[in-house]
Amino acid sequence: MTGLVMEGGAMRGMFTAGVMDVLLENGKPFFPLGFYDVSWTVPVEQRLRMAQDIAQWGYNTIHVAIQGPENKGDGYGSFLDECARLGVRVITEFSGDPLPVIEKYRGKPAVLGWNPGDEPAPKGITPQEMFRRYDNFKQIDPDHIAYTVICVPSQYANYAAGTDVLAPDPYPVPRRGVDVVYRRFKEAKEAADRVDTALWGVVQAFGGQKYDKKGAWPRWPDAREFRGMSYLALMAGVKGIVYYTYYDSSFDILKAPDLLEAVKAFPAELRELTPFVLDGTCELLAEDADGVYAMAWTLGAERRLVAVNARDKEAKVSLPFTGGQVLYGAPRDLRIEGGEMQFTLPPLERVVVK
């Protein structure tokens, strides 16, 4: 594995002048696509299996925890070495003092970045404290990102300046529409752009199992919702997605067979669009037009269209797009008339068109 740099931003750490806020690997844009593993107390073998699984499925990034006993010895270093062999990048959160960990492992090829504190606002961790942590991290390791998840929308702007990557985590399923993710990421994008911070999305891939006892997430997203939230995040401007979660104490994606099938299939689908998202120009064609969101990306002489029906009823769609090759999805009655593409989109479905 080789080093990553970030294009875009205000010369903070690994940022260089630019406008895209996109990670570069060997000068080529890189889209982080990955999963969380809440691995504080699980056997280290489970964390390794997770890395192997997501690599096999086509993902390239994981967010994991260094366990307390690993602060002694070099067990975590062995894990990072295996991730490098798998082609998986790692964002680490900490069980103790983060600074010795960063200093010890900053040279490992698998390292993508460090998490200075998850969801700080509701925990009473102030923006000023997060800025202090950011400065400390950068003094030790200016070459890898600080990655900060903010769960309170009103706080996006307050924390955005103290991180390289702002990563909101709206989890709407099943109590709200999937287009909540579009609105939240769009709000966060505006806050991040004002201070030249990159925007990634933490997208829901959990629910049910033990969560249903709490009443907040009585089921996990189905395949349509999983794909829809992912594409809506891209339309809102994210340049990386880390799904929550492969595993935590209340959820195991290996026990969610329908979601797991969608998770395994999605990287191949997204691969078709990624160059356009990273290197192309975009045009928003529909924003909640009777529940439909649509964006066209142009790269050179080629274009791609994505439309998502965020409602649980079918939608009649008419968009200014003249391509006609459906890559993914199953729209009905598709036709081109007068420079407009018209079709019917089933409930909560997406379509990707060339």
Side-chain angles (χ1 to χ4, degrees):
M1 300 178 77
T2 54
L4 289 163
V5 297
M6 182 81 81
E7 182 179 44
M11 304 299 289
R12 294 199 308 274
M14 66 192 297
F15 282 74
T16 57
V19 295
M20 292 196 302
D21 295 326
V22 169
L23 281 170
L24 300 178
E25 183 176 32
N26 293 333
K28 296 181 180 179
F30 174 83
F31 189 92
L33 184 69
F35 266 88
Y36 275 75
D37 185 53
V38 183
S39 47
W40 298 111
T41 59
V42 301
V44 294
E45 293 80 10
Q46 186 269 10
R47 188 181 57 193
L48 179 58
R49 186 181 72 243
M50 176 264 194
Q52 294 167 338
D53 281 349
I54 68 105
Q56 181 180 3
W57 302 340
Y59 294 83
N60 58 37
T61 299
I62 56 176
H63 182 290
V64 300
I66 180 171
Q67 299 179 9
E70 291 177 315
N71 288 309
K72 299 178 181 180
D74 195 36
Y76 196 64
S78 298
F79 170 72
L80 291 173
D81 289 342
E82 178 61 13
C83 287
R85 189 191 70 80
L86 293 167
V88 172
R89 299 284 180 173
V90 181
I91 301 170
T92 301
E93 59 179 332
F94 307 93
S95 59
D97 185 353
L99 301 185
V101 175
I102 295 172
E103 186 168 15
K104 185 174 184 178
Y105 295 118
R106 62 190 176 187
K108 291 288 187 180
V111 171
L112 175 55
W114 315 101
N115 185 337
D118 188 59
E119 297 184 339
K123 299 174 183 176
I125 303 173
T126 65
Q128 291 71 29
E129 169 60 17
M130 294 299 287
F131 298 167
R132 185 193 67 80
R133 296 181 187 184
Y134 176 85
D135 290 341
N136 287 342
F137 281 24
K138 287 300 178 180
Q139 288 175 14
I140 296 174
D141 183 8
D143 296 324
H144 295 102
I145 63 167
Y147 163 94
T148 304
V149 175
I150 301 298
C151 62
V152 181
S154 63
Q155 296 296 315
Y156 294 157
N158 293 334
Y159 288 86
T163 187
D164 296 318
V165 173
L166 180 68
D169 59 348
Y171 302 141
V173 175
R175 301 193 180 281
R176 293 176 292 170
V178 294
D179 51 350
V180 165
V181 302
Y182 176 86
R183 297 195 296 273
R184 293 291 175 257
F185 289 137
K186 188 174 180 182
E187 293 168 11
K189 177 67 172 168
E190 294 172 356
D193 283 351
R194 285 196 290 268
V195 290
D196 296 320
T197 293
L199 178 71
W200 297 0
V202 181
V203 174
Q204 182 181 355
F206 74 93
Q209 298 178 11
K210 293 182 182 178
Y211 287 108
D212 57 3
K213 296 180 181 179
K214 300 179 181 179
W217 298 284
R219 67 169 177 85
W220 54 76
D222 66 23
R224 302 169 305 164
E225 292 164 328
F226 173 81
R227 292 189 297 258
M229 288 188 292
S230 301
Y231 281 123
L232 287 165
L234 295 178
M235 292 183 200
V238 307
K239 300 301 184 183
I241 295 175
V242 186
Y243 295 98
Y244 190 91
T245 182
Y246 176 95
Y247 177 87
D248 68 14
S249 62
S250 295
F251 180 78
D252 183 345
I253 202 166
L254 300 181
K255 298 178 181 178
D258 55 334
L259 176 58
L260 180 61
E261 183 179 353
V263 163
K264 289 180 178 180
F266 190 64
E269 180 170 331
L270 184 60
R271 196 174 300 125
E272 165 64 33
L273 192 64
T274 300
F276 291 82
V277 171
L278 294 178
D279 258 347
T281 58
C282 63
E283 180 185 4
L284 185 64
L285 302 181
E287 186 177 49
D288 196 12
D290 293 327
V292 173
Y293 296 74
M295 181 167 280
W297 284 268
T298 302
L299 181 61
E302 294 198 42
R303 300 186 79 201
R304 297 291 185 271
L305 168 74
V306 175
V308 173
N309 180 4
R311 300 288 185 266
D312 59 1
K313 60 181 180 179
E314 69 176 28
K316 303 291 186 181
V317 182
S318 180
L319 298 169
F321 192 85
T322 55
Q325 181 182 348
V326 176
L327 301 176
Y328 295 98
R332 299 198 311 274
D333 307 321
L334 190 150
R335 61 191 184 277
I336 306 294
E337 292 185 3
E340 295 276 319
M341 175 177 288
Q342 300 175 17
F343 54 89
T344 299
L345 199 55
L348 293 171
E349 269 296 358
R350 88 318 187 189
V351 62
V352 182
V353 183
K354 179 177 179 179

